[in-house]
Amino acid sequence: TDREGRLQQRYALAVDERVDSRLAFLTSFGLHQVTRLGTARSLAERFPDRLLAGKTGTTDDLRDSWFAGFDADHLAVVWVGRDDNRPSGLTGASGALPIWAGLYRSLPGTNLDLEGPEGIEWAWIDLRNGARSSEDCAHALRMPFMAGTVPSRKSDCGGGVTDGLRRSWHWLQDLFGND
């Protein structure tokens, strides 16, 4: 467009799906959980009516702090650190995330679509052991799965954990709860 906003030229747009929409959705859902249960959970308090996703990060010795967050229409990454590479003393949640939240507050929010595309199945999962559970289990979370991959093992809500499931739980904790 020109400076008065008149269209000068338009290019044809060709869109090819490069990532399976189910995998993209599962990633977005996991990153949404970071904003609800993990290191970015303060966003759930700051934006209770918005469905956001993101991930905090902190380098060794607290030198760098970052947060990458998005909704359906906006993506922003904030980095906080020192030019001389000395520690800032900030984590992703204490340094970059508050700046990101201030920036995001000024934007019109558009919620993520957390319903999922075709080929996604939902099940209640006991987060202590990774098995299917009922909705009323104390540690249950409704989670999406690729069709046909919902765990078949059922939880009694008692939280008994096998070694393999313990590793899965630690992986989820690392994904959702650690810088």
Side-chain angles (χ1 to χ4, degrees), residues 57-59 61-66 80-81 87-96 99 179:
T58 308
T59 57
D61 301 323
L62 300 176
R63 285 191 320 269
D64 299 292
S65 155
W66 57 267
V80 176
S88 68
L90 300 168
T91 66
S94 68
I99 296 168
D179 272 342

Side-chain angles (χ1 to χ4, degrees), residues 42-43 45-48 50 98-109:
S42 68
L43 291 178
E45 295 168 11
R46 294 174 193 215
F47 304 102
R50 293 191 189 172
I99 296 168
W100 185 94
L103 168 69
Y104 187 78
R105 186 165 303 286
S106 68
L107 298 172

Side-chain angles (χ1 to χ4, degrees), residues 148-164:
T149 66
V150 174
S152 58
R153 184 172 173 267
K154 301 245 182 194
S155 172
D156 63 2
C157 295
V161 180
T162 67
D163 285 340

Side-chain angles (χ1 to χ4, degrees), residues 65-87:
S65 155
W66 57 267
F67 181 74
F70 61 96
D71 67 8
D73 290 330
H74 303 97
L75 167 81
V77 178
V78 172
W79 170 84
V80 176
R82 297 173 52 106
D83 288 344
D84 62 8
N85 206 27
R86 290 190 358 232

Side-chain angles (χ1 to χ4, degrees), residues 30-145:
L31 292 172
H32 170 66
Q33 292 309 310
V34 173
T35 69
R36 294 296 186 231
L37 304 172
T39 54
R41 65 186 165 273
S42 68
L43 291 178
E45 295 168 11
R46 294 174 193 215
F47 304 102
D49 298 327
R50 293 191 189 172
L51 301 178
L52 306 169
K55 184 68 179 94
T56 61
T58 308
T59 57
D60 293 341
D61 301 323
L62 300 176
R63 285 191 320 269
D64 299 292
S65 155
W66 57 267
F67 181 74
F70 61 96
D71 67 8
D73 290 330
H74 303 97
L75 167 81
V77 178
V78 172
W79 170 84
V80 176
R82 297 173 52 106
D83 288 344
D84 62 8
N85 206 27
R86 290 190 358 232
S88 68
L90 300 168
T91 66
S94 68
L97 186 132
I99 296 168
W100 185 94
L103 168 69
Y104 187 78
R105 186 165 303 286
S106 68
L107 298 172
T110 306
N111 284 332
L112 292 172
D113 175 8
L114 293 179
E115 294 301 314
E118 273 194 45
I120 293 292
E121 293 179 23
W122 291 85
W124 286 94
I125 301 298
D126 185 336
L127 292 177
R128 294 171 302 168
N129 60 25
R132 288 183 80 151
S133 69
S134 63
E135 180 178 352
D136 58 347
C137 282
H139 296 93
L141 177 66
R142 186 172 178 256
M143 295 184 67
F145 294 86

